[in-house]
Amino acid sequence: MTESTPTLSGKQPSRSLVARIKGINKLFAATVLLPTALAVLYFGLIASDVYISESRFVVRSPQKQASAGIGALLQGAGFSRSADDTYSVHDYITSRDALKQLNASFGLTNIYGSPSVDIFSRFAPLGTDENFEALHHYYQKHINVEVDASSSISTLKAYAYTAADAHRINEKLLELSERLVNQLNERGRQDMIKFATAEVDIAEAKAKAATLAVSKFRGQKGVFDPERQSALQLQLVSKLQDELISTKTQLVQIRALTPDNPQIPSLQKRVDTLQSEINSETAKVAGDGGQSLSNTSADYERLSLERLFADKQLGAAMASLEQARNDAQRKQFYLERIVQASLPDVATEPRRVRSILATLLIGLITWSILTMLLAGVREHQD
């Protein structure tokens, strides 16, 4: 009896441990212990360090007015925020074009698909999905760009598994964004000057056509300026009328004093001649014929107005071209770096302890809910 006692006491701890393991609630083990153990294993031993490079920039325009915030500060230097162009830069940063440039410069496939990256975070871990669309989907998860609505400052974050890679990617994206802004500026300048030059060409053609129309009209009608010529003709008629009145007065006086005076026929003929000249000159100004100045004046005025309008249109077009050239000398908007791309010295993700505790908390909540549900089901069955 005394010899078997140590043997029994030696087996008792082993049986007690097995009994305790069997006594653990299977639901608790499945919802709390197992996920927490996996989280400890992954975040403690497997998960790769993630480095984040951060930069900040603002897109500003010299033509728009700012109200508050950083835009008000920039307005003091003659610039303001440009929200619409900011979103254009954001779209470009996450676009396939930017990804192509980055992949050509750094080989993102090798950076994100490196064997040193854990298999759950690595790009194409099984080597079966290495196409560009899959890379773009992966890239969008590792680039984050946001804008502060109050200040219009954009924050760009690049995620990578080494500090140098994160910094290079962020810096390259800033360079590509600045290049995009410069391209948009250049395209805007070219379009502005091209449009203004086309307007000047059209206005010049219209001005030339209007001038030729006036010149042709003068040659056909034999007039230079109907209004001025009418004034000259009327002055001549007025002088002839004065002379006619004087001659008639002299003729009446001679007939009254000396009816047989030999000057009477000559004075009468002079009266007839002056009257004929007056009628002829008056007909040139306001006659019924097509060559009268009054009839040609309407057509001439219309052509003159067309020429005047064409000249004014040409002047306005040339002024617009000059303004376009002046505007082309300055950029329409700028990408200004507020904070340069940082070189991270420590990995900020994954947050290992927080992730493990979050897994534990979620597991406990899940276990509590399922326990209450199962208890309710059992009570209903009883």
Side-chain angles (χ1 to χ4, degrees), residues 232-285:
L232 294 175
Q233 291 294 118
L234 292 176
Q235 290 179 1
L236 178 60
V237 169
S238 178
K239 291 180 180 180
L240 291 175
Q241 286 177 343
D242 292 341
E243 188 176 352
L244 176 61
I245 292 172
S246 177
T247 303
K248 284 184 176 181
T249 301
Q250 185 180 0
L251 179 61
V252 170
Q253 291 176 350
I254 291 176
R255 282 179 176 175
L257 297 175
T258 56
D260 297 329
N261 194 312
Q263 292 183 354
I264 292 177
S266 62
L267 290 175
Q268 184 63 47
K269 187 173 181 179
R270 182 174 176 79
V271 169
D272 295 339
T273 301
L274 289 172
Q275 187 64 54
S276 177
E277 286 294 328
I278 291 172
N279 294 337
S280 177
E281 295 300 326
T282 303
K284 290 180 180 180
V285 176

Side-chain angles (χ1 to χ4, degrees), residues 142-161:
H142 289 71
I143 296 296
N144 182 36
V145 57
E146 297 177 347
V147 61
D148 185 351
S150 61
S151 63
S152 290
I153 296 179
S154 299
T155 302
L156 172 62
K157 294 181 180 180
Y159 298 77
Y161 300 102

Side-chain angles (χ1 to χ4, degrees), residues 91-141:
D91 289 341
Y92 175 76
I93 289 176
T94 57
S95 68
R96 292 172 175 80
D97 291 339
L99 175 59
K100 287 180 181 178
Q101 295 290 334
L102 286 173
N103 198 29
S105 300
F106 305 133
L108 293 188
T109 304
N110 297 328
I111 291 177
Y112 289 127
S114 173
S116 60
V117 181
D118 71 85
I119 192 170
F120 299 103
S121 303
R122 188 187 313 164
F123 168 68
L126 302 179
T128 57
D129 195 11
E130 297 182 350
N131 56 74
F132 187 79
E133 289 300 322
L135 179 61
H136 181 247
H137 184 70
Y138 184 92
Y139 165 78
Q140 288 183 320
K141 295 180 179 179

